Amino acid sequence: MSRILNVIKVQLRRDVAARRGTARLPLRTICCTARKRAEDRNESSVLGKRWKDTAETVVIGGGCVGVSLAYHLAKGGMKDVVLLEKSELTAGSTWHAAGLTTYYHPGINLKKVHYDSIKLYESLEAETGQAVGFHQPGSVRIASTPARVDEMRYQMTRTHWHVTPQSMIGPERVQELFPLVNIDKVLAGLYTPEDGHIDPYSLTMALAAGARMYGAQIYNPAPVTALKPTADGKWDVETPHGTIRANRIVNSAGFWAREVGQMIGYEHPTIPVHHQYVVTATVPEVKALKKELAVIRDLEGSYYLRQERDGLLFGPYEQMEKMVLQDSWVRDGVPPGFGKELFESDLDRIMEHVEMAMEMVPVLKKADIINIVSGPITYTPDLLPMVGPQQGVRNYWNAIGFGYGVIHAGGIGKFLGDWIRNGEPPYDLIECDPNRYGKWADVPFMCAKARESYGFNNVVGYPKEERFAGRPTSRTSGVYELLKDKCSMGFHTGWEQPHWFHKPGDDTGYKPSFCRTNWFGPVGRECKLIMEKVGVIDLTPFGKFIVKGKDSLKLLDRLFANTMPKVGLTNISHMLTPTGKVFAEVTITQLTPGEFLLITGSGSELHDLRWIEAEAADGGYDVDISNVTDEIGVLGIAGPNSRKVLQKLTDEDMSDAGFKFLNCKSIKLGGIPLRAIRISYTGELGWELYIDQKNMAAVYEAMMEAGKDEGIDNFGTYAMASLRLEKGFRGWGAEMNCDTNPLEAGLDYFIKLNKPADFIGKAALQEIKAKGLKRKLSYITVDTDNIDPEGNETVWLNGKVVGNTTSGAYSYSSQQSLAFAYLPLELCSVGQKVEVELLGRKYPAMVIQEPLVLTEPTRTRLQKKAKSKA
């Protein structure tokens, strides 16, 4: 400890001197000399090259992500790929990155990105002839508390059905991989072989060499000064060297991404944060090792530590109250000329982590610091990057907001390159959709969430996680003030929506757990309410669009695989990709001739709207598309007494004969005009009421007053999720997404292959149907104890992985756990027994006939049929 503190002042002087000179990179296994950099700058200079006036794709930004995209586009066969870098390649965040690489990611889809990155980096040197300095000693995430051990078990069941190599190991094995660790601090480890670190500069130069080898042009210094859209959807990209007419542009400008977006009126929610890491001098115990140390991540200490030559490199993530945002750049822009500069280091901010690291790795107490790097990295509010086309503007793509650009670069370059070339994402990655943020994600929200995300970098990752900084946003429904003190709210695309409601005597508050927790009992109470009485739910976060105009029917027939409903009717329809994957699930109502109301989930609002707008523009359809999500509130009312409550408030005939299932009517409720659709995602008798936000509270209060004698009460989304699973309802993003086709998802009823319109994906589905399926969605019960499946768990049979769950919940009606799971066709028969892994234990499961509970319309129809026979 004292030795480290004694070198701080000396180090600060060294830092200042380093910033004035050229020695800004930390030590790496493969160092690049200043002369080599100068050569690379000269080679990629505009001088000596013919300026291209046109391009298929212009990538803006020469960090590792942008260069990777140029490489993948060119390698995939795209001609005329141009990358524009404002100063020199790697300027910004890439050049000073610690270069960590790992297969691990807590999310399901980003595991694929990490996998593709590592596989590319393993072969890149042989492909391009450029050394990349890739070290693969493996990595270990250290658990030093019981909660961390459970977290690792939780992550293992989400990994077994992926190709990613990963295993849990004991303290002794941790010590074998990292002999310098204090084993008394270790309960377990999550080991990922082939992890390690790479030199970001060398990686970027190898990708650039590959991009040029396959025909891409890289111009620098070539700052973009203006972006001007053309009438045909192309872009004029202006630079000091001339203008390029591009079919599309990709913003990959790192912490300059906001400034690029502002050129076309967009305020991308990205912000630079200060990240520091420390490099030590030679440590004798490290030098004496016969093989390289595995990278370790001490989760409780919130830092990573790896070998750097014969010393160590240590990087912490400070707590949110100590970390530093470079918010002045959001307000004033990045200072002109900033590119390969650093911030002043501040060891006081990280001393808490230094001390924890010295307890975990005692040799650090005697280590000398030779370098402190404090540089800008880019954060989004939720720490995930923004990848894909931007809603509201044609042919403008994003690859921005990378807090971990080195490990994401290879995989994102491949993902985005495939999407651009093929017209659809190669797999589901909606959590990185740039359109998950709207205008509600303002600067105060962004700053609060980025601070929280950085400070919470290594907190325990529980299921159903909620984070509370920056909430509520401007997106609150008309009943938010009435409900906020009665429930536990969840965050859905800027909205606050009740997850569950508490009563006096309940254990309240957000109390996350890997097992059943304080909401389990109250959610059961809400399910019983819906099955026996009547409940009300706030569904305002639904995305809501109006599509109308001369070609509205023609457009929707092209977009959706179902036939379009007649006036006053509603149906469930799906948008498919060209290869027949499920891009979206939408509820469609024809309000008046040629005027359609489209309803989608909160998490896919702008995701779906972009797809619709793109097809309308590319196909030249004469339509008007408007997003009315914020203007219209939605209340759901469900349960056997729901009809009685509504009938007290309206003159409209709400009987089964007068208001049929999937019908829509304009009615007055308590004198307030609204649209009512007879539908409920609980599967019980119910309606969705679409109301002007300003009238929402009045309608809610009128229903609660009218329903007193009927036992009316509130319910939340957790109860709705349990009830929909009992009815066998599929959920978009779980049972269906861009990884699944509708036939294997059991959506045949909604897919009209014989309809005259040539809907997107039709030909592909016909081919899939002709070839036959290899897997199918199955409905299973799971014999558990104090834990329930939630989705993405591994399914086993005879010691082998055979599938994965997609969603799960406890069925309060049948008192057992339920799940959907994708299984091979030969294992889908009713009665087939399998096992579902939960927290390291395999629980017995069995395929059953779906649904477990019949929907109210089906029950009513069967009752009528029985009566007619009698």
Side-chain angles (χ1 to χ4, degrees), residues 635-777:
L635 290 172
I637 181 169
N641 295 344
S642 58
R643 178 180 283 124
K644 295 178 183 177
V645 173
L646 295 180
Q647 195 65 77
K648 292 179 183 180
L649 297 170
T650 183
D651 294 332
E652 187 72 37
D653 182 3
M654 304 301 289
S655 69
D656 191 55
F659 205 139
K660 296 181 183 296
F661 181 56
L662 293 179
N663 277 24
C664 173
K665 293 186 180 184
S666 294
I667 68 172
K668 286 187 176 181
L669 211 62
I672 298 173
L674 53 83
R675 282 196 175 95
I677 301 175
R678 189 180 158 191
I679 190 173
S680 174
Y681 290 103
T682 67
E684 294 303 306
L685 176 66
W687 282 261
E688 288 176 2
L689 311 175
Y690 292 80
I691 319 155
D692 284 345
Q693 283 276 15
K694 65 180 184 293
N695 295 326
M696 193 175 174
V699 172
Y700 170 83
E701 289 178 323
M703 288 195 299
M704 298 305 283
E705 180 64 28
K708 282 183 177 179
D709 293 341
E710 317 304 334
I712 198 168
D713 210 338
N714 298 293
F715 73 103
T717 58
Y718 285 2
M720 186 168 69
S722 173
L723 292 166
R724 75 97 177 162
L725 200 63
E726 289 180 346
K727 308 304 193 301
F729 291 172
R730 278 79 170 144
W732 189 86
E735 284 69 53
M736 53 182 132
N737 53 35
C738 287
D739 292 329
T740 60
N741 69 65
L743 303 182
E744 64 187 2
L747 299 171
D748 311 53
Y749 176 81
F750 305 101
I751 307 300
K752 303 301 191 287
L753 287 172
N754 59 349
K755 83 171 188 176
D758 184 23
F759 62 84
I760 297 171
K762 184 176 184 178
L765 271 192
Q766 289 170 332
E767 185 176 348
I768 290 169
K769 186 175 182 179
K771 288 183 177 179
L773 301 176
K774 294 182 179 179
R775 65 170 191 168
K776 200 156 177 68
L777 191 68

Side-chain angles (χ1 to χ4, degrees), residues 116 168 286 346 395 447 480 573 607 649 673-674 739 778:
D116 286 343
M168 280 190 71
V286 175
D346 182 0
N395 298 316
C447 291
Y480 170 73
S573 299
H607 167 273
L649 297 170
L674 53 83
D739 292 329
S778 297

Side-chain angles (χ1 to χ4, degrees), residues 491-511:
F491 188 72
H492 299 271
T493 322
W495 297 99
E496 298 290 326
Q497 186 176 29
H499 278 169
W500 60 279
F501 287 82
H502 45 77
K503 300 287 186 184
D506 288 340
D507 183 8
T508 62
Y510 172 64
K511 297 182 178 177

Side-chain angles (χ1 to χ4, degrees), residues 325-505:
L325 297 173
Q326 194 61 31
D327 49 1
S328 65
W329 291 7
V330 174
R331 182 181 64 250
D332 304 323
V334 181
F338 191 98
K340 286 199 170 180
E341 286 68 38
L342 294 170
F343 300 130
E344 290 292 332
S345 56
D346 182 0
L347 277 173
D348 286 342
R349 292 209 318 265
I350 64 172
M351 281 312 300
E352 176 185 354
H353 304 277
V354 170
E355 291 169 1
M356 295 179 76
M358 289 190 296
E359 290 300 313
M360 182 65 75
V361 184
V363 297
L364 280 173
K365 296 176 182 178
K366 301 179 292 181
D368 290 332
I369 295 174
I370 62 167
N371 201 7
I372 305 171
V373 175
S374 178
I377 58 175
T378 308
Y379 263 43
T380 61
D382 62 7
L383 188 51
L384 296 176
M386 300 171 66
V387 180
Q390 183 74 42
Q391 183 272 328
V393 58
R394 296 177 69 186
N395 298 316
Y396 174 93
W397 294 65
N398 291 297
I400 60 177
F402 290 89
Y404 307 101
V406 172
I407 185 53
H408 286 155
I412 288 295
K414 183 178 188 302
F415 174 86
L416 206 51
D418 288 348
W419 189 351
I420 289 172
R421 290 186 299 102
N422 300 327
E424 65 178 277
Y427 53 84
D428 180 38
L429 197 60
I430 192 172
E431 62 267 50
C432 296
D433 188 342
N435 304 300
R436 67 187 185 272
Y437 296 113
K439 293 180 180 178
W440 54 267
D442 56 18
V443 171
F445 171 83
M446 175 181 69
C447 291
K449 296 304 285 188
R451 184 176 293 280
E452 177 188 57
S453 292
Y454 188 92
F456 284 17
N457 215 294
N458 287 309
V459 298
V460 176
Y462 288 104
K464 295 180 170 63
E465 183 181 57
E466 287 291 327
R467 295 185 178 181
F468 299 96
R471 296 169 54 180
T473 71
S474 59
R475 271 190 154 181
T476 54
S477 78
V479 295
Y480 170 73
E481 292 295 332
L482 297 174
L483 302 180
K484 65 179 183 179
D485 296 328
K486 302 176 181 179
C487 66
S488 179
M489 289 281 187
F491 188 72
H492 299 271
T493 322
W495 297 99
E496 298 290 326
Q497 186 176 29
H499 278 169
W500 60 279
F501 287 82
H502 45 77
K503 300 287 186 184

Side-chain angles (χ1 to χ4, degrees), residues 119 145 154 166 187 198 215 219-220 259 302 326 340 355 358 383 409 422-423 425 436 442 449 501 557 576 700 734 808:
K119 291 307 174 188
T145 68
Y154 173 72
Q166 185 174 290
L187 294 180
I198 195 167
Y219 295 141
N220 70 287
E259 296 177 31
S302 192
Q326 194 61 31
K340 286 199 170 180
E355 291 169 1
M358 289 190 296
L383 188 51
N422 300 327
R436 67 187 185 272
D442 56 18
K449 296 304 285 188
F501 287 82
D557 244 348
L576 309 181
Y700 170 83

